[in-house]
């Protein structure tokens, strides 16, 4: 079986590429060359039979990902499956199953079965849940057997924190952070490495990982185990050291025809976001960039979908390709269905704003259509075009004007109505 990258290098247009061409404005030849060069990734495990393939990378719409899954404290499988369905309905482009408890495989397979969008996982979480061992007692084979299981189940992309090496940890020890390691997968591997006095198994045995991913065409999302968890720690030596290593691993993966995405920060001050995007693209050879936020202030728990959307829009405008949503519950608890919706809409706003800034062909057509409807005071059309039609309609219905053509903000002083009368005579 050829991976998407191998097929592109042989100038073969796969069915998944055809699906992508139907959904995007990218040129066929440009798509094939970008996939061949690693600038676009098409996460599409052939075992994910209901997948409608999407792409991440240069010249494509900025995509958004939704995290969900069960934990020991919140283990309602049916609720999380319903979140999968709702995330798809709300137009998420990808779903990551971050389950850490219970029958994780049963949940993962149900999610893959019902999801038409790409599915990602973090196998190191599942290794802890699956074997029930303390972290230091997990074997190298346990880690890799879990990766192989996820690949066989149909997972399209996996987060692997292979850049958190002993050398990177030494640098972290020499220059301590305010918030240490905030990546859950990174912290698991940090604990394992320290307790066993061994190198990161995914770095030491990276070729073994590549064999599994090539066999199932699983895209590797090279995780940022040392991403900053506070503004104070942003763009520090440990983060950059890991990024350099991820760039080296990217080239190794591409030589094996394995697709790669790079995960990025994290908590980053607004004025450092653009520089972080430029560093990643330079050090990781233009690989698609998947950002976790970035969150641009640390002081807004309950509103981190907003702090993230601000950072995500700026990151996307400067080259980020994939935004991981953040919900109002970030830093506080497992998000519920309402939190998930708020996070998805915020991330979609950020992604769309980024697409306009990037000049993605057709991106602003939606905005122009809305502006035309507003000029015409065509309220049904405005509701239809709204990113969240239900919420827009609810606001409109909650406060009805005397004149149905305007709203209760301005009433008869409506600027649109008055200027249209003057300039168009109607």
């Amino acid at each position: 079986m050829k991976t998407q990258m191998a097929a592109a290098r042989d100038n073969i247009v796969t069915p998944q590429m055809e699906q992508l061409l139907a959904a995007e404005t990218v040129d066929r030849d440009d798509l094939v060359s970008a996939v061949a060069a690693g600038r676009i990734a098409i996460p599409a495990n052939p075992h994910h039979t209901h997948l409608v393939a999407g792409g991440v990378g240069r010249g494509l719409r900025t995509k958004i990902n939704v995290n969900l899954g069960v934990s020991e404290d919140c283990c309602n499988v049916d609720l999380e499956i319903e979140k999968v369905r709702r995330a798809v309905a709300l137009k998420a482009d990808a779903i990551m199953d971050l389950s850490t408890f219970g029958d994780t495989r049963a949940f993962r397979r149900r999610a893959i079965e019902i999801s038409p969008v790409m599915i990602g996982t973090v196998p190191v979480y599942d290794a802890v849940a699956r074997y029930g061992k303390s972290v230091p007692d997990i074997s190298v084979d346990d880690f890799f057997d879990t990766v192989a299981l996820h690949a066989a189940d149909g997972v399209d992309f996996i987060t692997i924190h292979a850049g958190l090496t002993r050398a990177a940890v030494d640098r972290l020890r020499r220059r301590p952070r305010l918030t240490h390691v905030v990546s859950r997968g990174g912290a698991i591997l940090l604990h394992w490495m320290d307790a066993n006095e061994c190198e990161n198994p995914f770095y030491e045995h990276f070729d073994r990982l590549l064999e599994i991913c090539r066999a199932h065409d699983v895209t590797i999302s090279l995780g940022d185990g040392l991403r900053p968890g506070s503004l104070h720690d942003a763009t520090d030596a440990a983060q950059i050291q890991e990024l350099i290593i991820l760039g080296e691993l990217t080239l190794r993966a591409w030589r094996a025809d394995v697709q790669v995405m790079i995960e990025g920060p994290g908590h980053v001050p607004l004025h450092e976001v653009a520089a972080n995007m430029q560093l990643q693209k330079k050090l990781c050879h233009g690989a698609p960039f998947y950002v976790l936020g970035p969150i641009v202030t640390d002081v807004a728990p309950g509103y981190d979908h907003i702090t993230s959307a601000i950072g995500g829009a700026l990151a996307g405008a400067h080259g980020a390709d994939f935004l991981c949503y953040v919900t109002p519950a970030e830093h506080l608890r497992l998000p519920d269905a309402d939190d998930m919706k708020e996070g998805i809409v915020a991330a979609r706003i950020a992604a769309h704003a980024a697409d306009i800034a990037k000049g993605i062909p057709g991106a602003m057509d939606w905005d122009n259509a809305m502006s035309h409807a507003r000029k015409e005071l065509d309220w049904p059309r405005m509701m239809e075009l709204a990113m969240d039609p239900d919420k827009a309609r609810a606001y409109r219905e909650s406060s009805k004007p005397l004149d149905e053509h305007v709203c209760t903000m301005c009433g008869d002083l409506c600027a649109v109505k008055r200027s249209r009368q003057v300039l168009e005579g109607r």
Side-chain angles (χ1 to χ4, degrees):
M1 184 199 73
K2 288 181 181 289
T3 65
Q4 296 292 323
M5 176 173 272
R9 288 172 171 175
D10 289 338
N11 202 33
I12 296 171
V13 178
T14 65
Q16 292 77 19
M17 293 180 200
E18 293 285 6
Q19 290 177 332
L20 189 55
L21 287 167
E24 303 268 2
T25 55
V26 64
D27 176 79
R28 180 180 295 262
D29 291 340
D30 289 344
L31 174 63
V32 173
S33 63
V35 173
R39 306 296 185 269
I40 289 176
I42 305 176
N45 187 324
H47 304 306
H48 187 176
T49 54
H50 293 94
L51 176 70
V52 178
V56 179
R58 187 183 69 190
L60 305 181
R61 288 185 303 102
T62 306
K63 303 304 190 298
I64 72 158
N65 172 69
V66 169
N67 291 337
L68 44 77
V70 296
S71 68
E72 185 173 4
D73 290 314
C74 298
C75 194
N76 187 330
V77 171
D78 290 337
L79 176 60
E80 295 305 302
I81 288 295
E82 182 54 35
K83 283 185 186 178
V84 173
R85 293 190 175 94
R86 194 171 187 202
V88 172
L90 290 168
K91 300 183 180 179
D93 301 292
I95 292 167
M96 284 201 80
D97 170 20
L98 306 186
S99 295
T100 59
F101 185 77
D103 190 347
T104 52
R105 190 180 193 197
F107 174 76
R108 180 171 62 251
R109 294 174 80 173
R110 284 180 67 187
I112 292 167
E113 182 180 2
I114 66 173
S115 173
V117 303
M118 63 184 100
I119 295 282
T121 59
V122 188
V124 72
Y125 298 175
D126 195 29
V128 177
R130 183 179 177 214
Y131 293 104
K133 299 178 181 179
S134 65
V135 168
D137 293 333
I138 298 172
S139 70
V140 172
D141 285 342
D142 290 339
F143 283 129
F144 281 94
D145 287 348
T146 304
V147 171
L149 187 67
H150 285 220
D153 283 344
V155 170
D156 302 296
F157 66 100
I158 54 172
T159 293
I160 300 290
H161 301 89
L164 199 161
T165 63
R166 297 191 76 178
V169 173
D170 287 344
R171 188 176 295 278
L172 182 64
R173 292 185 190 279
R174 290 195 300 272
R175 296 183 61 177
R177 288 174 154 186
L178 184 62
T179 48
H180 302 308
V181 175
V182 299
S183 159
R184 182 163 52 187
I188 290 170
L189 288 169
L190 176 71
H191 184 191
W192 188 92
M193 292 159 63
D194 182 69
N196 291 288
E197 298 183 350
C198 290
E199 183 55 275
N200 183 331
F202 293 109
Y203 179 78
E204 185 174 1
H205 305 287
F206 194 66
D207 288 338
R208 183 174 176 181
L209 176 68
L210 294 178
E211 289 176 7
I212 297 170
C213 292
R214 183 172 55 238
H216 299 274
D217 198 6
V218 174
T219 298
I220 301 174
S221 186
L222 286 170
D224 51 342
L226 294 175
R227 68 176 178 268
S230 61
L231 300 190
H232 176 276
D233 298 337
T235 327
D236 68 354
Q239 178 193 336
I240 303 306
Q241 170 79 31
E242 183 181 38
L243 193 60
I244 291 169
I245 295 167
L246 297 185
E248 295 168 352
L249 295 176
T250 295
L251 295 179
R252 287 177 60 183
W254 286 347
R255 285 195 291 269
D257 292 331
V258 173
Q259 300 182 107
V260 169
M261 299 185 290
I262 307 295
E263 292 186 14
H267 291 233
V268 180
L270 197 64
H271 64 285
E272 294 183 16
V273 171
N276 269 262
M277 303 307 107
Q278 292 159 3
L279 277 169
Q280 184 276 336
K281 289 292 184 177
K282 183 72 173 180
L283 295 176
C284 296
H285 320 289
F289 198 16
Y290 172 26
V291 293
L292 312 177
I295 287 174
V296 295
T297 178
D298 297 334
V299 297
Y303 297 91
D304 277 326
H305 59 311
I306 298 174
T307 67
S308 173
I310 293 168
L314 188 59
H318 286 89
D321 306 290
F322 197 13
L323 309 182
C324 186
Y325 93 146
V326 172
T327 78
E330 184 76 8
H331 302 113
L332 301 172
R333 61 168 170 81
L334 191 76
D336 63 19
D338 291 337
D339 297 326
M340 185 185 75
K341 179 181 178 180
E342 292 293 315
I344 289 173
V345 174
R348 287 185 61 203
I349 292 168
H352 181 62
D355 287 346
I356 293 170
K358 289 175 181 175
I360 298 296
M364 209 162 73
D365 291 352
W366 186 6
D367 301 78
N368 291 340
M370 177 63 87
S371 295
H372 179 75
R374 284 176 172 154
K375 187 196 77 168
E376 296 299 316
L377 295 171
D378 185 346
W379 294 97
R381 179 63 173 156
M382 283 186 254
M383 301 301 107
E384 180 184 329
L385 289 166
M387 189 171 288
D388 182 356
D390 291 341
K391 188 169 187 177
R393 289 191 187 98
Y395 272 101
R396 175 75 176 162
E397 291 298 318
S398 71
S399 182
K400 291 189 174 182
L402 296 173
D403 177 355
E404 65 178 10
H405 294 99
V406 298
C407 77
T408 55
M409 179 73 179
C410 298
D412 187 55
L413 297 178
C414 173
V416 174
K417 178 181 177 181
R418 196 167 294 270
S419 63
R420 196 176 69 178
Q421 288 172 343
V422 172
L423 298 175
E424 298 183 14
R426 63 187 180 98

